[in-house]
Amino acid sequence: MPEENTNETTEQQTDQTATSGEEQQTDTATEKAEEKTFKQDDVNNIVAKESKKATEKLLKELGIDDFENAKDGMTKFKEWQESQKTEAEKQQEQLDSLTSEKDSLSSENNHLKSQISAMKAGVKGESVEDVIALAERRVNDDVSIDDAIEQVVKEYPHFAGEKGEENQNSPRIVTGGNPNGGENTPDDPFSAKLAKYK
């Protein structure tokens, strides 16, 4: 008989194990069916709600009831800070602003003077900026911008236009009504007649 009890106990344990295995499989299947999928809009809404809650919690900890009050409070705080500045600080800010404006105007003035000097030195119009860039590197306590431009023109003569060179397409001023500029050509019938009276 003890053997029969042992067999019955073993059978019961086997039945219970099989039953619990089925229950576990059923629970897992139920859990999978209960999993919920979210759309992007749902996720965005959840995140927005959570961030709003966190912001509200932080503002409440700081003693602020809502966000609009926080904006008004910051505006008033900045106005108060501005009113607390001393007259000297306001004057210092104004001085700094005027100093930077003066520096930019001075720089522009020097650049324009350099352009005039380059044009006076005979630099071609399309080469003025190049000559100025080269000349500015040569300026020091002993060398002025005018001298530096002359040095650059001597070193790089292709920047300067030829002084004796005239453009053939440019108009010429002539006197006496002769379109050739006063030159008589041998084909001119009046040149022979004029030569007799000279």
Side-chain angles (χ1 to χ4, degrees):
M1 224 50 155
E3 287 181 16
E4 288 179 19
N5 281 340
T6 309
N7 286 339
E8 286 178 21
T9 309
T10 309
E11 287 177 16
Q12 289 175 355
Q13 289 174 353
T14 306
D15 288 339
Q16 287 176 356
T17 306
T19 306
S20 66
E22 290 175 11
E23 289 176 5
Q24 287 176 354
Q25 289 176 356
T26 306
D27 289 341
T28 307
T30 306
E31 287 176 12
K32 287 182 181 177
E34 290 178 1
E35 285 183 16
K36 188 174 181 181
T37 57
F38 294 102
K39 294 182 181 177
Q40 186 64 41
D41 292 338
D42 296 334
V43 173
N44 291 344
N45 290 336
I46 291 170
V47 169
K49 287 178 185 176
E50 290 299 319
S51 66
K52 185 176 180 182
K53 285 180 185 178
T55 303
E56 288 175 357
K57 181 181 176 185
L58 179 64
L59 290 175
K60 284 182 182 179
E61 287 177 7
L62 294 173
I64 300 170
D65 294 331
D66 65 349
F67 188 68
E68 291 301 318
N69 286 343
K71 282 184 179 179
D72 293 339
M74 280 303 293
T75 304
K76 289 178 183 176
F77 176 71
K78 287 181 181 179
E79 288 173 0
W80 176 79
Q81 267 186 328
E82 187 67 29
S83 69
Q84 295 301 315
K85 284 185 178 178
T86 64
E87 189 65 30
E89 289 174 333
K90 290 178 183 177
Q91 288 177 349
Q92 183 61 38
E93 288 176 0
Q94 190 175 21
L95 177 66
D96 293 341
S97 171
L98 292 173
T99 302
S100 66
E101 184 179 347
K102 177 204 157 266
D103 291 342
S104 68
L105 290 174
S106 175
S107 172
E108 183 179 353
N109 187 21
N110 288 337
H111 186 72
L112 291 173
K113 286 179 180 179
S114 299
Q115 287 179 335
I116 291 171
S117 295
M119 296 299 279
K120 284 182 179 178
V123 176
K124 295 178 190 175
E126 66 267 5
S127 302
V128 169
E129 293 299 322
D130 297 333
V131 170
I132 291 172
L134 292 170
E136 285 176 345
R137 286 162 179 65
R138 296 177 183 213
V139 173
N140 58 32
D141 292 339
D142 298 332
V143 179
S144 70
I145 189 71
D146 295 332
D147 296 336
I149 289 173
E150 288 178 19
Q151 290 174 3
V152 169
V153 170
K154 284 179 185 175
E155 189 172 338
Y156 304 102
H158 63 278
F159 286 134
E162 297 296 323
K163 294 183 181 178
E165 175 184 310
E166 287 186 26
N167 190 351
Q168 296 298 328
N169 296 330
S170 65
R172 293 186 295 165
I173 299 175
V174 293
T175 58
N178 188 353
N180 293 343
E183 299 173 9
N184 290 326
T185 59
D187 296 337
D188 187 14
F190 297 108
S191 61
K193 298 280 184 189
L194 288 174
K196 290 181 185 179
Y197 297 110
K198 288 187 180 181

